[in-house]
C-alpha cells in the first residue's frame, strides 16, 4: 500500500494561515478523512473530519478535492499553542483488508 | 480527560516478558482501536474491535493479541517482548465505524522494554 504522506515540517509566524496537505492515494471509497493534533507524550486530539469538498468548524477548515486522493488542513491565524504534530488519518483497503492509516505527520512550529 | 482510559500509564519490563495493556472506551462507544507509536515508525494501526468482534487488522505482530470484552473494555497482550517493542501504545474509541464522529484517543501507555 502506498504511504499516506505529509510534509515533514513547517514553520509559521503567529497570526498567519497554515495549510498542511496530506496525500492518500489508496483511500477507501466510503471512509472519511480525519485530522488530528498531537502534543508530546499525549494522545492525538481530533481536529476535523470530512468526506468531500469543504468542511469548516470553529478551529479549522478541511478541503478535499473531488478525487479524494489528497486533503488540506487549513488553520487560520495560528498561535504559539498550535505548535504540535498534525496527522491525517484515512481508511484504506476493502472488507477483509481494511486498515486505518495515519499520515507521516507534519511538525508545525509557530514562531512569535 | 478524553473519556478513554488507559492503564497503566507507564510500564517497564524485561525482554522476553509478557504484559497486558488495558483500555476502557468512552461511554457509549462500541469500537476500540489500538495504535503503536514509536520514534521511527509514527502511528501504526494494530487492530480494531467492534462490539466484541475483531473488525480490522493492521501491522500487528503474531506475538501481540487483543480482545474486547462484553463490557466493551479491551486488552492488548504483548508477549516475548523485544527491545523494539518499546513505544507508546494508544487506544481510541468511537461509537460506530461508519459514523461521522472522529476517534477519541486515550493518553497512552508508555512501554519500555529493557
Amino acid at each position: 500500500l502506498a504511504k499516506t504522506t505529509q510534509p515533514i515540517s513547517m514553520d509559521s509566524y503567529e497570526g498567519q494561515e497554515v495549510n498542511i496537505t496530506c496525500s492518500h492515494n489508496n483511500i477507501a471509497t466510503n471512509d472519511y478523512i480525519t485530522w488530528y493534533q498531537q502534543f508530546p507524550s499525549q494522545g492525538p486530539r481530533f481536529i476535523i473530519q470530512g468526506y468531500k469538498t469543504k468542511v469548516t468548524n470553529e478551529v479549522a477548515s478541511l478541503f478535499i478535492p473531488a478525487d479524494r486522493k489528497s486533503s488540506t488542513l487549513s488553520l487560520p491565524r495560528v498561535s504559539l499553542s498550535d505548535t504540535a504534530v498534525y496527522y491525517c488519518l484515512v481508511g484504506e483497503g476493502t472488507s477483509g483488508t481494511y486498515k486505518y492509516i495515519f499520515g507521516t505527520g507534519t511538525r508545525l512550529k509557530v514562531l512569535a | 480527560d478524553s473519556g478513554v482510559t488507559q492503564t497503566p500509564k507507564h510500564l517497564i519490563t524485561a525482554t522476553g516478558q509478557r504484559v497486558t495493556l488495558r483500555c476502557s472506551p468512552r461511554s457509549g462507544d462500541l469500537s476500540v482501536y489500538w495504535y503503536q507509536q514509536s520514534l521511527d515508525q509514527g502511528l501504526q494501526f494494530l487492530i480494531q474491535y467492534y462490539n466484541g468482534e475483531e473488525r480490522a487488522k493492521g501491522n500487528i505482530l503474531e506475538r501481540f493479541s487483543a480482545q474486547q470484552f462484553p463490557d466493551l473494555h479491551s486488552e492488548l497482550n504483548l508477549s516475548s517482548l523485544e527491545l523494539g517493542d518499546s513505544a507508546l501504545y494508544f487506544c481510541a474509541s468511537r461509537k460506530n465505524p461508519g459514523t461521522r464522529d472522529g476517534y477519541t484517543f486515550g493518553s497512552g501507555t508508555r512501554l519500555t522494554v529493557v
Side-chain angles (χ1 to χ4, degrees):
Chain A
L1 292 174
K3 288 183 75 172
T4 300
T5 56
Q6 303 175 226
I8 293 174
S9 64
M10 298 179 71
D11 287 349
S12 179
Y13 288 96
E14 280 191 291
Q16 289 188 330
E17 178 184 76
V18 170
N19 295 309
I20 305 173
T21 297
C22 176
S23 170
H24 33 76
N25 293 323
N26 292 324
I27 184 172
T29 304
N30 59 348
D31 206 6
Y32 289 89
I33 299 159
T34 315
W35 282 80
Y36 290 84
Q37 176 192 56
Q38 188 179 30
F39 297 110
S41 297
Q42 293 185 25
R45 188 171 70 97
F46 174 86
I47 302 174
I48 196 167
Q49 178 174 261
Y51 185 77
K52 59 181 178 181
T53 63
K54 178 184 175 182
V55 179
T56 297
N57 62 19
E58 62 275 8
V59 299
S61 294
L62 179 58
F63 299 91
I64 305 167
D67 66 4
R68 300 191 349 109
K69 292 186 184 300
S70 67
S71 58
T72 299
L73 172 72
S74 180
L75 304 173
R77 299 179 298 282
V78 294
S79 63
L80 295 175
S81 62
D82 293 320
T83 294
V85 181
Y86 292 82
Y87 292 94
C88 61
L89 173 64
V90 300
E92 294 184 359
T94 57
S95 177
T97 65
Y98 211 85
K99 296 182 181 182
Y100 298 91
I101 308 296
F102 269 99
T104 47
T106 299
R107 190 172 299 275
L108 172 66
K109 186 175 181 180
V110 179
L111 307 168
Chain B
D1 181 9
S2 69
V4 178
T5 304
Q6 289 188 248
T7 56
K9 291 195 185 308
H10 302 275
L11 198 50
I12 302 175
T13 190
T15 54
Q17 294 299 304
R18 172 190 167 95
V19 298
T20 298
L21 312 183
R22 182 187 169 101
C23 169
S24 293
R26 196 178 50 169
S27 179
D29 286 358
L30 301 178
S31 232
V32 168
Y33 306 75
W34 285 96
Y35 286 87
Q36 179 193 55
Q37 186 173 36
S38 51
L39 280 174
D40 58 348
Q41 292 290 324
L43 282 153
Q44 299 290 318
F45 169 64
L46 295 178
I47 199 164
Q48 177 211 353
Y49 282 85
Y50 173 72
N51 206 19
E53 294 189 3
E54 183 183 304
R55 266 294 182 95
K57 214 166 187 176
N59 301 320
I60 187 167
L61 301 172
E62 286 190 11
R63 300 184 285 109
F64 295 0
S65 65
Q67 56 184 327
Q68 187 179 28
F69 294 87
D71 67 352
L72 300 177
H73 91 272
S74 178
E75 293 181 356
L76 179 66
N77 300 297
L78 315 177
S79 61
S80 302
L81 284 167
E82 303 174 359
L83 295 178
D85 297 327
S86 296
L88 264 169
Y89 290 85
F90 288 107
C91 166
S93 73
R94 72 198 274 196
K95 279 191 172 56
N96 184 312
T99 56
R100 294 178 62 90
D101 58 320
Y103 308 72
T104 300
F105 281 81
S107 55
T109 293
R110 182 176 294 280
L111 173 66
T112 303
V113 182
V114 297

